[in-house]
Amino acid sequence: MIRKLATFFLLLGVTILATYYAPAAAKTPCYILLLILYFRSNQEAMWLAFFLTISDGFWGFFNPFEVVITLIPGLPQIEVAHIYIILSVIKASRRESPGAFFHDNFLKLMGVYILLLVFQGYLLGLSGELNVQFRLVKFILPLALFYSVPRLFRKEEDFRECFVYIFPMAFLALFAQVFTITTSITPSQYLGVYKKFWFTVDVAKGKTYRGFYSSATVLTAYFGAFYLLARKDKYFHFLYPFAVIAACLLCVVLSATRGWLLGFSLSFILFLAFVLRLSFKRVATVGVAATVMIAGLLLIPVVEKQFTNAFKRFTTLEKLAGGDVTAGGTLSRISERSPRVLDKWSETPITGWGFSNTFFKYADFHVANQNILLHAGILGALIMGSFFIFYHGKLLARSLQLLPGHPMKDALLVFVVFFPGWFLIHSSSGQHFSFYSDPGNGIVLSLYFTMGALACKFPYNPNRNNPVPPPVIPS
């Protein structure tokens, strides 16, 4: 494991040096070399975690449109992660099909609807300029991971290895939160890359810090820790996933982001209530470890101040419950953003505006469900909602069929208890689900939905309490 992590962080360090410290002429050759290394490698888990990191950000590095390559002069640059997706599709096309998954037909239906949204976009007016057409391709391309990931990740161990690389990033994200709160600068600023960063404030002067590092990675680590605890996986000591959960929760609390705290809390409560059944000794061990971690952070005065500021921000939700739709002026997404999006959606309510100029003009990821209506209409929202219900209903039914003691019974249930919290984050803090994606979100979505479908496919005998090991599908 140490060697794998060393290789991962070496790649990350080289990419930071090439992007921010080396001469500009060295960037593209370095990125091309990384892509060649990926294409020749069979370490899919490491590379997926790597490209998730450079898409999601790290310590204030790898912000949007910083790790890019110019493919065609005159057209917008393309993120290196987009090229990774293209290469993953090429690699996957050389592999045998893993066989049918239970949700394949639904994915095909959603694929057809995406094509209809593209057609509708042209019908309602989409600029013919090359940069706009290029942008459309970049919007849809990350969804190709739903083709490549199932072919490149053949067994549960492949997904478990992803978390070898993703878990440490949760602790590094927490370090970045504490560092920025205590110093009022990001690690990337400290290392001389930037002079200013939009979310840096002086917490000691009463201002509330609102930064959140590596949010998609933290979300993935949070889910992975749930899964491995439910799976009772011996690859990690049981305290390690609990430490990851604690680090993720602290990242969210320190960010003072209400939707994320509500979502993470909901998932954690459901996980404790329906999945995790710990002995008193383990509960005590976890409780003591969590108390020590939190107490250690509170010893830092400025961090203690941020905890207080975050708590005050969370209490503004009482005003929302009391009828103040702005929650004391802190929820402009309800009072301003939502009406703007819904007013435009009401002009084409059934199928929305598709990939049209109007959609690109009025789209607002801060109001996710309204944005889905704007883009895909009532029909698209129904298709997407039906998919979520069908997918998680299937996993729940499979879990209920298995007798206690089967290794997959609780693991399948993790998806069912995790998703409501994730959807709450999507609905309250920023869009995660749509008929398009960016590379980072596309990696998380394909990982989650492929992992659940594969887990549901493992052989089992519901009439015998006799666990059967997962299959190994030939590469």
Side-chain angles (χ1 to χ4, degrees):
M1 185 186 296
I2 294 177
R3 172 184 271 182
K4 292 179 179 179
L5 285 173
T7 302
F8 174 78
F9 283 108
L10 176 62
L11 290 170
L12 200 59
V14 168
T15 308
I16 290 174
L17 290 174
T19 305
Y20 300 101
Y21 298 99
K27 288 184 180 181
T28 298
C30 178
Y31 297 156
I32 292 174
L33 177 61
L34 287 171
L35 291 167
I36 292 173
L37 289 174
Y38 161 67
F39 195 68
R40 295 173 60 87
S41 172
N42 60 0
Q43 301 295 317
E44 295 295 338
M46 182 189 71
W47 287 102
L48 182 140
F50 171 77
F51 285 106
L52 172 61
T53 300
I54 66 172
S55 301
D56 191 36
F58 170 72
W59 280 14
F61 297 110
F62 307 133
N63 300 293
F65 311 111
E66 288 188 346
V67 188
V68 294
I69 290 179
T70 301
L71 289 181
I72 303 175
L75 290 181
Q77 295 174 315
I78 184 171
E79 290 90 333
V80 171
H82 276 107
I83 304 177
Y84 156 71
I85 294 168
I86 295 172
L87 295 178
S88 76
V89 170
I90 296 173
K91 291 177 72 172
S93 68
R94 299 174 177 177
R95 303 281 187 92
E96 294 181 5
S97 171
F101 289 106
F102 73 88
H103 66 320
D104 281 352
N105 288 335
F106 236 121
L107 291 181
K108 290 175 183 177
L109 172 62
M110 297 177 79
V112 170
Y113 197 71
I114 290 171
L115 294 177
L116 291 176
L117 292 174
V118 172
F119 176 76
Q120 185 177 10
Y122 284 108
L123 193 65
L124 296 178
L126 180 66
S127 173
E129 295 180 7
L130 283 177
N131 62 329
V132 176
Q133 303 299 310
F134 200 54
R135 182 186 184 189
L136 175 59
V137 173
K138 289 170 64 178
F139 261 56
I140 298 174
L141 180 61
L143 300 180
L145 288 166
F146 281 91
Y147 168 83
S148 60
V149 168
R151 286 164 172 76
L152 297 175
F153 291 76
R154 296 297 187 116
K155 51 189 182 293
E156 186 187 41
E157 287 77 4
D158 295 333
F159 292 99
R160 184 184 63 187
E161 188 172 339
C162 287
F163 298 116
V164 170
Y165 307 102
I166 292 174
F167 282 171
M169 305 307 290
F171 298 105
L172 292 172
L174 176 60
F175 169 81
Q177 295 280 70
V178 175
F179 182 90
T180 304
I181 291 168
T182 54
T183 65
S184 299
I185 61 173
T186 68
S188 60
Q189 285 177 287
Y190 179 78
L191 294 171
V193 174
Y194 297 103
K195 292 184 178 180
K196 293 183 179 180
F197 227 87
W198 68 269
F199 57 69
T200 53
V201 297
D202 191 341
V203 176
K205 293 182 179 180
K207 296 183 179 180
T208 303
Y209 167 77
R210 296 294 315 284
F212 194 164
Y213 291 91
S214 309
S215 59
T217 307
V218 169
L219 177 74
T220 308
Y222 196 58
F223 163 74
F226 281 12
Y227 182 86
L228 292 176
L229 283 171
R231 189 72 170 84
K232 298 178 176 60
D233 194 294
K234 303 301 182 183
Y235 194 69
F236 300 103
H237 188 279
F238 89 96
L239 279 180
Y240 186 44
F242 275 115
V244 171
I245 290 172
C248 293
L249 282 169
L250 287 171
C251 283
V252 169
V253 171
L254 290 174
S255 74
T257 308
R258 292 167 296 199
W260 278 82
L261 180 63
L262 290 173
F264 269 38
S265 298
L266 175 60
S267 293
F268 190 57
I269 291 170
L270 293 174
F271 179 67
L272 292 178
F274 296 104
V275 180
L276 202 59
R277 291 173 288 276
L278 293 180
S279 66
F280 176 78
K281 180 179 179 181
R282 286 200 167 188
V283 169
T285 302
V286 171
V288 169
T291 301
V292 170
M293 180 182 291
I294 294 172
L297 288 174
L298 291 177
L299 289 175
I300 305 173
V302 71
V303 174
E304 191 275 335
K305 180 68 173 178
Q306 174 63 12
F307 269 106
T308 302
N309 293 341
F311 179 75
K312 290 179 179 178
R313 180 170 171 79
F314 298 141
T315 57
T316 60
L317 293 175
E318 294 179 4
K319 298 180 180 180
L320 178 63
D324 181 0
V325 297
T326 69
T330 64
L331 275 182
S332 63
R333 58 171 36 91
I334 294 178
S335 59
E336 300 175 13
R337 293 177 180 274
S338 179
R340 178 176 179 269
V341 173
L342 289 179
D343 285 347
K344 182 55 62 174
W345 159 71
S346 65
E347 297 178 19
T348 56
I350 305 301
T351 57
W353 286 92
F355 291 98
S356 64
N357 291 334
T358 300
F359 166 68
F360 288 124
K361 179 179 179 181
Y362 287 89
D364 190 339
F365 76 94
H366 290 92
V367 284
N369 294 318
Q370 296 91 323
N371 208 43
I372 291 172
L373 289 171
L374 177 71
H375 181 230
I378 295 173
L379 182 57
L382 286 174
I383 291 174
M384 185 177 293
S386 299
F387 169 69
F388 293 151
I389 294 172
F390 168 78
Y391 181 89
H392 294 95
K394 180 70 173 180
L395 296 184
L396 176 60
R398 178 59 60 90
S399 175
L400 294 175
Q401 285 179 311
L402 300 175
L403 295 178
H406 192 285
M408 296 310 299
K409 184 176 180 65
D410 290 338
L412 288 168
L413 199 56
V414 165
F415 294 85
V416 181
V417 302
F418 180 80
F419 186 78
W422 190 4
F423 192 80
L424 180 57
I425 294 169
H426 157 86
S427 301
S428 60
S429 293
Q431 191 162 6
H432 287 244
F433 309 109
S434 61
F435 291 97
Y436 54 88
S437 187
D438 58 63
N441 195 48
I443 289 172
V444 175
L445 290 171
S446 60
L447 187 73
Y448 174 86
F449 286 106
T450 302
M451 192 172 169
L454 183 63
C456 193
K457 200 174 183 181
F458 290 162
Y460 71 99
N461 184 343
N463 299 314
R464 293 170 54 206
N465 190 6
N466 182 23
V468 180
V472 177
I473 304 173
S475 299

